[in-house]
């Protein structure tokens, strides 16, 4: 994976040694809201002439904002000093940025920040120890060691902001006293104080600007009206920081340890293991002894190092990945990383940007599309890049953000772009089949999203749950051409139905809660056909329908679904339940209470699964309901065929409880959807 990122970085910056080309690759994107929504740039301006801070939020976030203010994200690593003068975290400006800039020896800028540090910040430990408001007991807690990033706080006690207002209503000492009185653990009192102070300042900023925190897209540090990001010296420092490896245990030249080479280019100059900590995407563990040579973290460099040139490309490619190649599958964050296997012409930055736009467009359309025409057009545009001059594969990286880096949940490598054409063809076949055997419903479609809403996932713990891995394994099979077990699919489908029927909250299926399950199940049925057309699901051998004493519609459905005799019996049982449900719905739809549109027959179904004894009992219940609802004369033929096939196989029943329930529900869903579509078409005709 790391080689592909470096290759992208090489396309972006090549062998350029100038700062401008490299800086353009370092800029991180800032989301520009669509429609009437607006986000703003908060310029925090310190005056060197008088003790006044001005906060200006008049400027709107636009496409060029990140470049205008040299936004390169935050320093790598959770414990790295934060010194960038443009950030998305207001907290950095309150305690860290100015002190860190003051000691970085950046010409002009560091001197300016030293003055701001002296005029506007306090050493928090000294400040609190000298406070007359604190008791000796409260001061005792301050004797613990203080981390450098919590050492200085913005002095909000006396500094005026925007027309003689204050950023906080209470002095820092009072914020500290309240923190102590809450009785929380105080073993990290300075961190807790920084968090409480940040909240107080954020609330104050909200009152001063009348903007919610989420409406501020970027915070920029200014002095005397001039952004620090506009100083050439600052820009050079940022580029140098991103370019340079951290010199340490790994020496070059004659003193270099034997065997050390760059993991990427095999070079021997400017090597560092620490450089691999710079990208936000973590490719290797960097803090566990078990992965270091001789179980000693000092010996990580013996396993892997990177040179300065490759690090520059790695950082540039890493930022491009996060800016341009990020998308979502439902609740999953996904990177789409191309691997260029063959190129007969030099790849350019413009080609790369156009390609990545088409990659993400095609993937997003395959996930959720409104018209097959759009899916076809997007895929056609994308595949135009897949020509005789360039041959590439795709890698899908399902991940989640963590404080220490990025955790990969699933990696699907070497995807042939032709899979999108297969997805279009499969979706087209499913749509045609649905119209043929169910009815004309232009809104019906099966996409990758349909699969997401067929497997239940607890969203709270989705990143670690086995349910999430089951779903990701299905996507792996689709993109890699692997086979999926039918019983595995059906078990997950039934569990999804149970989530909806019992109204369980906290799942990815919340959009279906309270709705009729018929549409959900019929989509599951055609998801299976979709997977068959993709050759991810083995096509089963069905029964000979010519001997069935049924209507042509039913025989056509059974034939196209390849149902054998036991599954046909269950399907017909479900159709009968659908007939009863339709009759019960019509009888109750005009009621003015909770029983309106109720189908009591569905209460006879155990949604946890139906074994053989429950199946026999359900058949008896359905027969009684058919007689009770006076439907038996109209359904006698279906019931007879169902009973004949069921009696033939019931003594040697092989389907498990999930399969038994699923095929019953498939019959119910079929009948219900036919009734709904017929009623809808009749209404349109009458109008």
């Amino acid at each position: 994976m790391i080689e592909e990122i470096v290759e992208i970085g090489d396309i972006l910056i090549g062998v350029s040694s100038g700062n401008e080309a490299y800086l353009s690759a370092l800029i991180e994107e800032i989301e520009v809201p669509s429609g009437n929504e607006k986000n703003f740039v908060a310029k925090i301006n310190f005056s060197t002439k008088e003790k006044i801070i001005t906060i200006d939020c008049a400027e709107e976030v636009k496409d060029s904002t990140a470049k205008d203010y040299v936004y390169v994200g935050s320093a790598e690593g959770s414990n790295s000093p934060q010194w960038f003068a443009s950030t998305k975290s207001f907290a950095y400006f309150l305690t860290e940025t100015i002190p860190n800039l003051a000691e970085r020896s950046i010409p002009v800028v560091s001197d300016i920040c030293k003055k701001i540090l002296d005029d506007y910040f306090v050493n928090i430990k000294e400040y609190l120890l000298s406070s007359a408001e604190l008791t000796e007991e409260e001061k005792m807690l301050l004797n613990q060691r203080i981390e450098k990033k919590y050492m200085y706080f913005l002095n909000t006690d006396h500094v005026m902001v925007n027309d003689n207002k204050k950023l906080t209503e209470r002095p820092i000492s009072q914020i500290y006293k309240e923190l102590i009185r809450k009785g929380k653990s105080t073993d990290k009192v300075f961190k807790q104080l920084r968090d409480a102070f940040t909240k107080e300042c954020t609330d104050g900023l909200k009152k001063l600007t009348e903007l919610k925190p989420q409406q501020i897209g970027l915070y920029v540090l200014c002095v005397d009206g001039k952004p620090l990001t506009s100083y050439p010296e600052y820009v050079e420092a940022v580029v140098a920081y991103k370019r340079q490896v951290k010199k340490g245990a790994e020496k070059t030249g004659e003193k270099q340890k034997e065997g050390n080479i760059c993991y990427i280019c095999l070079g021997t100059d400017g090597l560092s293991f620490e450089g691999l900590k710079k990208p936000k995407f973590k490719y290797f563990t960097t803090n566990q002894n078990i992965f270091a040579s001789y179980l000693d973290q000092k010996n990580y460099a013996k396993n892997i190092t990177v040179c300065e040139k490759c690090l520059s490309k790695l950082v540039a490619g890493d930022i491009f990945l996060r800016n341009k190649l990020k998308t979502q599958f439902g609740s999953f964050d996904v990177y789409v990383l191309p691997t260029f296997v063959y190129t007969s012409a030099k790849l350019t930055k413009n080609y790369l940007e156009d390609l990545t736009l088409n990659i993400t467009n095609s993937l997003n359309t395959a996930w959720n599309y409104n018209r097959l025409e759009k899916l076809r057009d997007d895929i056609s545009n994308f595949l135009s890049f897949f020509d005789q001059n360039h041959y590439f594969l795709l890698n899908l990286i399902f991940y989640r953000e963590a404080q220490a880096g990025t955790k990969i949940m699933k990696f699907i490598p070497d995807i042939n772009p032709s899979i999108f054409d297969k997805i279009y063809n499969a979706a087209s076949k499913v749509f045609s089949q649905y119209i043929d055997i169910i009815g004309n419903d232009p809104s019906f479609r099966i996409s990758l999203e349909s699969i997401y809403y067929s497997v239940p996932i607890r969203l709270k713990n989705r990143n670690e749950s086995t349910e999430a891995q089951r779903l990701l394994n299905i996507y792996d099979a689709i993109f890699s051409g692997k086979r999926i077990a039918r019983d595995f699919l059906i078990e997950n489908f039934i569990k999804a139905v149970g989530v909806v029927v019992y109204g369980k909250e906290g799942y990815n299926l919340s959009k279906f809660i309270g709705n009729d399950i018929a549409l959900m199940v019929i989509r599951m049925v055609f998801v299976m056909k979709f997977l068959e057309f993709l050759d991810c699901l083995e096509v089963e051998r069905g029964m000979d329908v010519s001997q069935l004493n049924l209507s042509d519609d039913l025989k056509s459905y059974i034939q196209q679904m390849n149902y054998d005799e036991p599954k046909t019996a269950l399907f017909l049982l479900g159709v009968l339940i659908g007939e009863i449900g339709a009759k019960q719905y019509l009888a109750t739809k005009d009621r003015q209470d909770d029983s309106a549109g109720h189908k009591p027959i569905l209460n006879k179904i155990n949604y946890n699964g139906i074994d053989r004894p429950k199946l026999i009992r359900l058949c008896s219940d359905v027969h009684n309901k058919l007689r009770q609802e006076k439907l038996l004369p109209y359904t006698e033929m279906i019931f007879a065929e169902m009973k004949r096939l069921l009696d033939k196989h019931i003594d040697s029943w092989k389907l498990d409880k999930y399969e038994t329930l699923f095929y019953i529900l498939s019959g119910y869903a079929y009948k219900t959807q036919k009734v709904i579509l017929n009623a809808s078409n009749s209404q349109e005709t009458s109008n």
Side-chain angles (χ1 to χ4, degrees):
M1 187 193 313
I2 194 170
E3 291 89 348
E4 287 82 359
I5 303 292
V6 171
E7 185 175 18
I8 289 175
D10 186 47
I11 296 170
L12 296 172
I13 63 176
V15 295
S16 172
S17 58
N19 285 346
E20 186 174 347
Y22 187 58
L23 181 61
S24 65
L26 292 179
I27 299 300
E28 301 221 6
E29 284 192 346
I30 299 175
E31 183 179 358
V32 180
S34 57
N36 296 326
E37 295 184 10
K38 296 178 181 179
N39 282 355
F40 299 88
V41 178
K43 298 177 184 177
I44 316 298
N45 181 61
F46 293 83
S47 172
T48 59
K49 300 177 178 62
E50 50 186 336
K51 232 175 188 178
I52 293 177
I53 297 175
T54 305
I55 300 177
D56 179 9
C57 294
E59 182 178 338
E60 294 180 18
V61 170
K62 51 185 182 294
D63 291 333
S64 64
T65 294
K67 182 179 179 181
D68 293 343
Y69 296 107
V70 197
Y71 175 62
V72 293
S74 56
E76 73 281 352
S78 57
N79 293 318
S80 298
Q82 301 296 331
W83 60 274
F84 297 144
S86 57
T87 179
K88 291 185 178 181
S89 173
F90 185 39
Y92 292 156
F93 285 178
L94 299 175
T95 59
E96 292 188 66
T97 305
I98 292 291
N100 288 329
L101 278 170
E103 69 172 27
R104 285 199 73 84
S105 300
I106 302 173
V108 182
V109 174
S110 290
D111 288 338
I112 292 173
C113 290
K114 286 175 184 176
K115 180 171 178 51
I116 300 302
L117 179 62
D118 292 339
D119 292 345
Y120 287 90
F121 286 76
V122 294
N123 182 304
I124 192 61
K125 197 168 186 177
E126 295 176 0
Y127 165 87
L128 292 175
L129 286 172
S130 63
S131 173
E133 297 182 28
L134 302 180
T135 66
E136 290 302 316
E137 184 180 356
E138 290 168 338
K139 291 181 180 180
M140 284 290 292
L141 295 171
L142 301 170
N143 290 330
Q144 61 185 270
R145 188 181 70 86
I146 181 171
E147 293 183 50
K148 185 178 178 181
K149 62 181 176 179
Y150 306 131
M151 188 172 292
Y152 293 96
F153 277 52
L154 177 66
N155 186 356
T156 57
D157 294 358
H158 306 295
V159 176
M160 295 296 107
V161 181
N162 291 14
D163 300 327
N164 294 323
K165 298 175 183 175
K166 287 189 176 183
L167 188 58
T168 59
E169 296 180 357
R170 300 175 296 165
I172 301 177
S173 55
Q174 287 189 13
I175 299 174
Y176 173 74
K177 286 179 74 72
E178 182 177 331
L179 176 68
I180 300 303
R181 287 171 181 171
K182 286 183 177 179
K184 293 184 178 180
S185 172
T186 53
D187 58 335
K188 295 183 178 179
V189 67
F190 293 108
K191 179 184 183 303
Q192 294 171 0
L193 178 59
R194 201 277 290 267
D195 293 342
F197 178 67
T198 298
K199 184 180 185 307
E200 186 91 5
C201 291
T202 302
D203 292 342
L205 182 67
K206 182 178 177 181
K207 292 179 181 178
L208 287 170
T209 62
E210 297 182 349
L211 293 175
K212 297 177 181 178
Q214 58 267 33
Q215 290 179 281
I216 299 179
L218 188 68
Y219 298 90
V220 179
L221 191 58
C222 306
V223 176
D224 292 333
K226 184 177 181 179
L228 294 184
T229 57
S230 66
Y231 284 83
E233 296 85 352
Y234 170 83
V235 176
E236 289 178 8
V238 170
V239 174
Y241 171 79
K242 291 288 187 177
R243 271 188 180 275
Q244 293 174 0
V245 298
K246 181 178 179 181
K247 300 297 188 280
E250 305 79 50
K251 305 296 183 181
T252 58
E254 295 181 357
K255 295 183 179 180
Q256 181 185 330
K257 293 182 178 179
E258 184 179 354
N260 275 22
I261 60 174
C262 175
Y263 170 79
I264 298 164
C265 71
L266 307 183
T268 58
D269 293 330
L271 300 178
S272 173
F273 162 72
E274 293 292 332
L276 288 169
K277 297 182 180 180
K278 284 185 177 291
K280 296 289 175 57
F281 198 101
K282 302 305 179 187
Y283 306 92
F284 308 97
T285 60
T286 58
N287 59 358
Q288 295 185 36
N289 292 351
I290 59 173
F291 291 102
S293 182
Y294 296 106
L295 303 180
D296 185 348
Q297 288 196 33
K298 294 179 180 179
N299 291 330
Y300 255 109
K302 288 187 176 181
N303 293 348
I304 184 167
T305 53
V306 64
C307 72
E308 196 162 331
K309 289 182 180 179
C310 288
L311 176 63
S312 295
K313 297 173 184 178
L314 177 61
V315 171
D318 178 78
I319 292 172
F320 187 88
L321 176 72
R322 290 181 285 112
N323 281 348
K324 303 292 187 181
L325 289 166
K326 179 179 178 179
T327 187
Q328 279 192 310
F329 274 14
S331 58
F332 296 110
D333 292 317
V334 186
Y335 288 130
V336 193
L337 178 63
T339 299
F340 296 98
V341 179
Y342 166 78
T343 57
S344 61
K346 175 68 176 176
L347 295 174
T348 65
K349 181 179 178 181
N350 289 338
Y351 173 87
L352 180 62
E353 289 184 340
D354 289 343
L355 172 64
T356 55
L357 179 61
N358 277 275
I359 287 174
T360 51
N361 280 347
S362 297
L363 198 59
N364 290 339
T365 305
W367 173 258
N368 185 332
Y369 59 88
N370 293 320
R371 294 177 294 108
L372 277 170
E373 290 79 7
K374 176 170 175 54
L375 178 61
R376 180 191 60 203
D377 293 344
D378 279 0
I379 290 173
S380 177
N381 290 336
F382 167 58
L383 291 179
S384 67
F385 287 85
F386 192 68
D387 57 27
Q388 59 189 13
N389 296 318
H390 305 297
Y391 182 82
F392 58 91
L393 301 174
L394 301 176
N395 306 282
L396 289 185
I397 307 166
F398 292 81
Y399 71 97
R400 69 178 179 89
E401 295 290 356
Q403 186 178 7
T406 304
K407 180 177 180 180
I408 297 176
M409 299 172 59
K410 188 74 176 180
F411 178 54
I412 307 177
D414 302 334
I415 300 170
N416 193 314
S418 63
I419 186 61
F420 291 102
D421 199 35
K422 292 182 180 178
I423 288 173
Y424 167 73
N425 291 330
S428 299
K429 290 179 181 179
V430 166
F431 183 69
S432 298
Q433 190 177 52
Y434 180 88
I435 291 176
D436 182 40
I437 59 180
I438 301 294
N440 187 17
D441 181 5
S443 66
F444 181 84
R445 64 182 183 275
I446 295 298
S447 65
L448 298 179
E449 183 186 37
S450 306
I451 300 169
Y452 177 80
Y453 289 113
S454 298
V455 177
I457 302 173
R458 293 180 182 88
L459 293 179
K460 186 175 181 181
N461 299 313
R462 67 170 175 81
N463 295 315
E464 290 81 20
S465 70
T466 55
E467 296 159 347
Q469 288 301 320
R470 290 172 187 168
L471 179 56
L472 293 179
N473 286 339
I474 295 174
Y475 287 126
D476 186 3
I478 291 174
F479 288 110
S480 303
K482 301 173 184 176
R483 284 291 177 92
I484 305 170
R486 191 177 294 266
D487 57 350
F488 164 81
L489 274 180
I490 290 175
E491 179 179 347
N492 281 281
F493 288 171
I494 290 302
K495 288 179 179 178
V497 170
V499 168
V500 172
V501 169
Y502 298 122
K504 298 178 182 178
E505 298 292 342
Y507 284 81
N508 59 321
L509 306 170
S510 57
K511 63 184 290 185
F512 292 106
I513 297 297
N515 293 344
D516 194 294
I517 62 171
L519 180 59
M520 184 181 185
V521 173
I522 205 69
R523 286 187 184 278
M524 290 172 174
V525 170
F526 282 91
V527 160
M528 294 176 75
K529 298 304 295 184
F530 178 68
L531 294 172
E532 284 183 9
F533 292 138
L534 286 172
D535 200 29
C536 293
L537 201 62
E538 185 177 355
V539 178
E540 296 184 315
R541 179 176 295 182
M543 67 174 294
D544 180 8
V545 299
S546 62
Q547 303 302 314
L548 290 174
N549 187 22
L550 298 171
S551 67
D552 290 340
D553 283 352
L554 286 174
K555 287 196 289 186
S556 175
Y557 183 90
I558 293 167
Q559 184 177 40
Q560 294 198 47
M561 291 297 146
N562 299 310
Y563 287 166
D564 59 16
E565 290 186 349
K567 292 172 185 175
T568 298
L570 297 173
F571 167 75
L572 295 177
L573 179 59
V575 170
L576 294 172
I577 292 173
E579 292 277 7
I580 298 168
K583 182 72 176 290
Q584 292 175 337
Y585 173 83
L586 290 174
T588 61
K589 69 173 184 174
D590 295 328
R591 293 179 181 175
Q592 302 300 314
D593 54 29
D594 294 340
S595 64
H598 189 50
K599 300 178 180 179
I601 185 61
L602 297 181
N603 295 333
K604 300 291 185 179
I605 297 176
N606 186 327
Y607 292 96
N608 293 317
I610 295 179
D611 55 20
R612 181 175 172 276
K614 291 175 183 175
L615 174 60
I616 295 172
R617 187 161 57 249
L618 180 61
C619 287
S620 177
D621 290 338
V622 167
H623 184 265
N624 291 335
K625 280 295 179 181
L626 288 171
R627 178 174 284 118
Q628 182 179 333
E629 298 289 348
K630 299 180 179 179
L631 288 170
L632 200 55
Y634 309 102
T635 59
E636 194 168 7
M637 179 176 61
I638 299 175
F639 185 85
E641 286 289 48
M642 181 274 295
K643 196 69 168 62
R644 177 179 68 83
L645 294 173
L646 195 63
D647 289 346
K648 182 177 178 181
H649 296 279
I650 194 66
D651 290 335
S652 57
W653 196 252
K654 296 180 180 179
L655 297 178
D656 66 29
K657 65 177 184 178
Y658 299 113
E659 293 173 304
T660 301
L661 174 57
F662 180 77
Y663 290 108
I664 292 173
L665 290 178
S666 72
Y668 166 76
Y670 165 84
K671 180 61 185 179
T672 303
Q673 283 301 108
K674 294 277 282 188
V675 170
I676 292 173
L677 289 179
N678 288 338
S680 176
N681 293 334
S682 298
Q683 187 175 7
E684 290 178 4
T685 303
S686 64
N687 290 337

